[in-house]
Amino acid sequence: MNKRKIAMLHLLLNAGEIKTNQSLITQAVQKAAEKGAEWIITPELAVSGLQFTKECGIDWIQQQPNEWMSSLMEVAKSSAVNLFIGAPEKDPEGELFNSVFVINREGRLIGRQRKRSSVTDDWSSSGGHLEPLTIDHVKAGILICADSYTKENAVTLRDKGAEILIAPSSWGPGLHGPNGEWEARTIDTGLPMFVCNRTGEDETVTFWEAKSLVIEHGIHLLAHHSRESAILLFDWDFDKRELLSTEFEVEYII
């Protein structure tokens, strides 16, 4: 049986306030682990916020794992949890990427997905290839925010064996807000999707009504938006590809 408690961290992030965001992520990860979560997912660019460059520039971006990411690896090991962490990174050649890092329950950084789309990320390079990562015997494909915009990326992950789609996002409603893309990708691929979104606001984007979602066959099985940071917990059977919860268990972070 492969039944797991999942936590999506629907966080109120502050653009450019790196240490504040890091502290919030660490606190939320620890609380989610205490609530029994085994997979913990953050939004896109949880460390920096989406529109961070005017606030703090890009010189602070480091190769990963840096000191803070290494501390999360220790948390993952001590709590036996798997983490999906959204953060900017620099590669050894100096290129910058919008990435999601996957840390397993042994505290090892087992892989990363770099965002391919750069709709609003003029500081980052395209991430190139897509490859599912295996966590707890499940092949998970990661679609970072606008990488869900067309079906190509999702279908590629499915064809490479993905059994679930994870979508760390910073995508608020409005003129260029989500308009059925996530739902369409579950129909295109036949795969369920966990969308971990955020709340708050950046320079030109607001997320107060942005939703974190569990979607299958184009249908919202679970949905949440809030003006406060929240841990969204639910149970999922990976063998049967079945939601075991009737609603999110919501733990607000004050």
Side-chain angles (χ1 to χ4, degrees):
M1 300 294 287
N2 201 2
K3 298 177 181 178
R4 305 289 174 183
K5 186 175 291 293
I6 314 296
M8 297 197 292
L9 307 183
H10 190 90
L11 300 178
L12 200 171
L13 302 166
N14 295 293
E17 297 186 16
I18 310 304
K19 292 190 180 300
T20 298
N21 294 334
Q22 288 174 335
S23 178
L24 176 62
I25 294 164
T26 300
Q27 178 188 4
V29 165
Q30 291 171 331
K31 284 192 173 185
E34 289 169 5
K35 300 289 286 186
E38 296 179 80
W39 289 34
I40 304 175
I41 308 164
T42 75
E44 174 190 24
L45 292 176
V47 166
S48 59
L50 182 66
Q51 296 174 317
F52 65 88
T53 57
K54 286 187 178 179
E55 302 297 327
C56 64
I58 58 174
D59 291 343
W60 61 275
I61 300 173
Q62 300 175 310
Q63 293 184 46
Q64 296 290 355
N66 62 5
E67 182 179 356
W68 177 77
M69 190 75 69
S70 297
S71 73
L72 272 190
M73 293 163 70
E74 290 300 317
V75 172
K77 182 177 181 179
S78 63
S79 302
V81 296
N82 303 293
L83 305 180
F84 298 75
I85 305 295
E89 67 162 325
K90 179 189 291 186
D91 75 2
E93 286 72 45
E95 278 197 278
L96 303 179
F97 297 93
N98 175 345
S99 300
V100 169
F101 299 88
V102 181
I103 301 166
N104 71 7
R105 60 176 72 247
E106 285 79 42
R108 292 188 296 111
L109 178 59
I110 62 170
R112 72 197 76 201
Q113 181 62 59
R114 291 168 171 168
K115 188 178 181 181
R116 304 187 80 194
S117 265
S118 56
V119 177
T120 59
D121 308 335
D122 56 5
W123 57 272
S124 67
S125 300
S126 173
H129 74 284
L130 292 160
E131 200 68 42
L133 291 166
T134 301
I135 304 101
D136 291 340
H137 309 290
V138 176
K139 287 186 178 294
I142 300 171
L143 293 168
I144 303 173
C145 201
D147 283 350
S148 297
Y149 192 72
T150 62
K151 72 178 183 180
E152 176 188 3
N153 294 327
V155 169
T156 296
L157 287 167
R158 180 202 63 190
D159 291 348
K160 289 186 174 185
E163 301 166 82
I164 188 83
L165 297 174
I166 308 290
S169 300
S170 291
W171 203 350
L175 180 61
H176 301 292
N179 188 28
E181 290 85 0
W182 293 314
E183 296 82 355
R185 301 300 78 85
T186 66
I187 295 169
D188 294 333
T189 61
L191 301 177
M193 179 184 284
F194 304 158
V195 179
C196 184
N197 217 330
R198 56 161 291 190
T199 190
E201 58 185 347
D202 284 4
E203 183 183 9
T204 65
V205 187
T206 61
F207 305 98
W208 302 115
E209 302 296 321
K211 292 180 180 179
S212 289
L213 302 161
V214 175
I215 308 171
E216 189 166 23
H217 303 306
I219 297 170
H220 294 183
L221 304 182
L222 299 175
H224 173 89
H225 71 271
S226 63
R227 298 184 71 86
E228 303 87 21
S229 291
I231 300 167
L232 310 178
L233 297 144
F234 63 99
D235 296 306
W236 186 269
D237 187 329
F238 283 104
D239 289 336
K240 296 182 178 180
R241 207 182 73 180
E242 181 177 81
L243 178 66
L244 303 176
S245 303
T246 57
E247 58 186 20
F248 281 130
E249 177 187 349
V250 181
E251 181 84 7
Y252 288 104
I253 303 172
I254 308 301

